[in-house]
Amino acid sequence: MKVAIVHYHLKTGGVTTVIGHQVAALKGLCETLVVTGDVAGARLDCDVVEVPGLGYDHPKRAIQEPDQVADQMLTAIGTVWTRGADLIHIHNPTLAKNRQFLRIIKWLQNLGIKLFLQVHDFAEDGRPDAYFSEAYPADCHYGVLNRRDEEILKGAGLLEEGLHLVPNAVAPLPITDRQAVEKLMLYPVRALRRKNLGEAILLSLFFGDDMRLAITQPPNSPSDLRRYHQWVKWVRNRRLPVDFAAGRNRSFADLVGAARAMITTSITEGFGFCYLEPWTAGKRVWGRRLDGICSDFRQNGIHLEGLYGRLDVPLTWFDAKELSAQWQSSVLRACRAYGYPMEKKRVETAFHRVTDGGRIDFGILSEPFQRRVAERVLESDTHKRALVSLNPWLAEAAGPSIPDAIINHNRRMVARHYSVSASGQRLMDIYRQVMERPVHHRIDKAALFAAFLDLNRFSLLKWSTDE
């Protein structure tokens, strides 16, 4: 079987890493070729061809007709395989990073080409700038990273026989084995807004024992960078034990080796590498638990006890009317962006629900509100104790100790269920189904958005554009 794998670009990042793992996993099982809009210097263990019309929209890139780009794809594939590909595996097809992308896919589909569309990220999950107004491709096979997304897409109209679970492979983290363990909590992340940097900083105020928090990489996008630099300035003005961009001055393997543990405070994840990778280096992970993501891992025997589901703060610590106005306007603005009707009364009721008992989850707050909470903790031990009374686990803010037996067990479970070799066999089974089993279904986009619009967890970090 000949499989062409397609993505907008091969720049360093999550999807490029996944593609590299898939190419390695499929070696010896089928022939692979990667087609991309931007090679970006990536090195993969297969042929790679560049078709610029597949890349992200850019003012300097001329817009081509979808049929032209589709023809260029097929021509490029033909330079490697004279009879073309048996199947085309497309990553993240429903993100409008290229506004012609859906039409390109549909053109290929009309030519009778077998397609497998793997969704990593949903525009409906707080990414209105990447939302397509037109319908997603119908009557083709889709893949998702976890059972949460699988259930959401079933609820939005996809049939079980045309929807496949494709968990990512997890490669062991690099580690300097002889590196002495330091008083260091490592957040191994590119500090995007949804990674909830403020919560990691707040936790560091409770670490004690001269522990430091190290955040490995800054973000790339202007929006994320602006908020990141606000945190950097705020932390430096208060001389807090936080190291930003730690990966620029020290190798990642050294940081992993030096870390006492790893932390995650993310409010949203596509797959959840942060819950699996630390164990591969013999490190425990601690922080915020995302149940929709972690349930798959727990079913596979991975112990994630000790993580917390929310971080409660008193509503009296800031202007509740101001927060209510911002939160409700963000909900209504998000609904307008997706063309989804929403009654104001329902939004008002939802805000009362998320602030029930005079408290709110820290992960729902935007950065200015989060800084007000952290200021309170810095101002007074009384406030610090008040937060611990609401969240008793904060008394062990560097995370609960975990027996070596659990760490070793989790490392084995990650290797068993998320190895590169296991992912290759899984993909081949899916490819055979795509080739042999036509499907007739389509995605109801309104139902898809409604599933992601969970007002009980609606976070200003994900949805708000306010400064």
Side-chain angles (χ1 to χ4, degrees):
M1 186 184 297
K2 295 177 173 62
V3 178
I5 299 174
V6 177
H7 187 49
Y8 303 102
H9 63 78
L10 294 180
K11 296 177 182 177
T12 301
V15 176
T16 298
T17 299
V18 169
I19 290 172
H21 289 163
Q22 289 180 342
V23 168
L26 292 167
K27 198 168 184 65
L29 300 176
C30 69
E31 296 181 56
T32 56
L33 161 70
V34 172
V35 185
T36 181
D38 184 355
V39 172
R43 295 183 180 180
L44 298 174
D45 193 16
C46 69
D47 288 315
V48 178
V49 293
E50 188 174 78
V51 177
L54 292 172
Y56 281 1
D57 289 336
H58 191 277
K60 294 183 179 179
R61 185 173 69 79
I63 301 298
Q64 295 178 281
E65 291 300 316
D67 59 324
Q68 292 178 317
V69 179
D71 287 343
Q72 290 167 10
M73 286 179 63
L74 298 180
T75 299
I77 293 170
T79 63
V80 179
W81 300 321
T82 54
R83 295 188 179 181
D86 297 306
L87 179 149
I88 296 181
H89 177 171
I90 302 175
H91 287 268
N92 255 353
T94 64
L95 283 188
K97 299 293 188 176
N98 177 324
R99 290 286 166 181
Q100 298 282 63
F101 209 64
L102 287 188
R103 295 168 193 167
I104 295 167
I105 293 171
K106 291 173 183 178
W107 191 269
L108 293 170
Q109 189 178 24
N110 289 336
L111 293 175
I113 294 169
K114 301 289 187 181
L115 301 177
F116 176 53
L117 309 184
Q118 183 176 348
V119 181
H120 298 260
D121 305 295
F122 291 85
E124 290 80 3
D125 191 18
R127 299 169 184 243
D129 293 341
Y131 181 67
F132 280 111
S133 58
E134 61 256 53
Y136 296 136
D139 303 336
C140 58
H141 288 253
Y142 280 82
V144 291
L145 302 178
N146 55 62
R147 289 183 179 86
R148 178 203 66 181
D149 294 347
E150 184 179 44
E151 291 304 312
I152 285 174
L153 281 177
K154 284 180 183 177
L158 294 192
L159 301 175
E160 186 172 350
E161 57 265 32
L163 181 58
H164 309 276
L165 190 62
V166 197
N168 289 332
V170 178
L173 289 180
I175 182 170
T176 304
D177 291 328
R178 296 181 181 178
Q179 175 71 48
V181 175
E182 302 170 13
K183 294 180 178 180
L184 186 72
M185 290 288 287
L186 184 65
Y187 197 178
V189 69
R190 189 168 292 282
L192 308 178
R193 194 182 189 200
R194 63 181 180 271
K195 298 302 180 181
N196 192 10
L197 208 57
E199 187 163 309
I201 293 166
L202 179 68
L203 294 181
S204 74
L205 303 182
F206 292 83
F207 283 169
D209 193 27
D210 297 323
M211 290 278 287
R212 297 190 67 82
L213 169 68
I215 300 161
T216 51
Q217 296 292 339
N220 288 320
S221 76
S223 176
D224 285 325
L225 268 172
R226 182 171 63 254
R227 293 174 171 93
Y228 171 80
H229 287 308
Q230 289 170 352
W231 276 120
V232 172
K233 181 179 179 181
W234 187 86
V235 164
R236 287 180 178 168
N237 286 343
R238 288 153 185 80
R239 299 181 180 181
L240 301 180
V242 180
D243 302 322
F244 293 93
R248 289 186 170 179
N249 303 316
R250 192 172 181 181
S251 76
F252 185 56
D254 278 352
L255 287 169
V256 173
R260 188 173 290 184
M262 297 190 193
I263 195 170
T264 175
T265 53
S266 178
I267 57 164
T268 182
E269 290 288 330
F271 173 65
F273 281 112
C274 56
Y275 298 109
L276 302 179
E277 288 181 328
W279 309 108
T280 70
K283 304 290 181 176
R284 60 186 173 89
V285 62
W286 183 73
R288 179 175 282 267
R289 182 185 68 249
L290 301 177
D291 290 327
I293 301 298
C294 291
S295 60
D296 284 10
F297 307 146
R298 288 196 295 266
Q299 286 183 36
N300 284 331
I302 295 166
H303 294 288
L304 295 172
E305 292 83 0
L307 279 69
Y308 58 87
R310 55 185 288 138
L311 200 172
D312 282 319
V313 296
L315 201 58
T316 55
W317 282 14
F318 30 72
D319 187 331
K321 289 185 178 179
E322 179 189 5
L323 174 60
S324 175
Q326 286 192 23
W327 191 87
Q328 292 187 48
S329 66
S330 290
V331 172
L332 294 171
R333 186 165 55 248
C335 292
R336 287 194 297 270
Y338 292 94
Y340 187 83
M342 174 67 69
E343 296 179 357
K344 289 185 177 180
K345 184 63 177 177
R346 181 183 167 193
V347 181
E348 291 174 5
T349 301
F351 183 77
H352 290 305
R353 189 165 59 247
V354 299
T355 56
D356 184 49
R359 60 184 71 176
I360 190 168
D361 182 9
F362 189 86
I364 286 175
L365 304 174
S366 63
E367 293 87 348
F369 287 110
Q370 290 189 342
R371 280 190 279 273
R372 293 181 204 178
V373 173
E375 290 282 9
R376 288 266 188 166
V377 171
L378 288 170
E379 284 172 4
S380 160
D381 284 342
T382 301
H383 291 148
K384 196 170 186 177
R385 288 192 296 271
L387 214 55
V388 173
S389 69
L390 289 177
N391 309 276
W393 49 265
L394 274 174
E396 292 185 295
S401 60
I402 295 177
D404 288 343
I406 295 295
I407 294 174
N408 291 330
H409 167 84
N410 281 353
R411 178 165 25 196
R412 290 193 300 272
M413 292 301 101
V414 171
R416 176 182 299 176
H417 295 286
Y418 300 98
S419 69
V420 171
S421 59
S423 71
Q425 294 294 339
R426 187 182 298 113
L427 279 171
M428 286 303 300
D429 181 56
I430 292 170
Y431 291 161
R432 283 188 283 269
Q433 293 180 61
V434 173
M435 294 294 294
E436 299 168 4
R437 183 189 297 170
V439 290
H440 300 287
H441 58 187
R442 65 181 60 247
I443 296 173
D444 180 335
K445 296 179 70 175
L448 184 59
F449 174 68
F452 279 109
L453 186 72
D454 181 354
L455 294 184
N456 293 320
R457 298 186 303 111
F458 186 94
S459 172
L460 294 174
L461 287 179
K462 183 191 292 188
W463 298 91
S464 171
T465 56
D466 297 331
E467 290 302 314

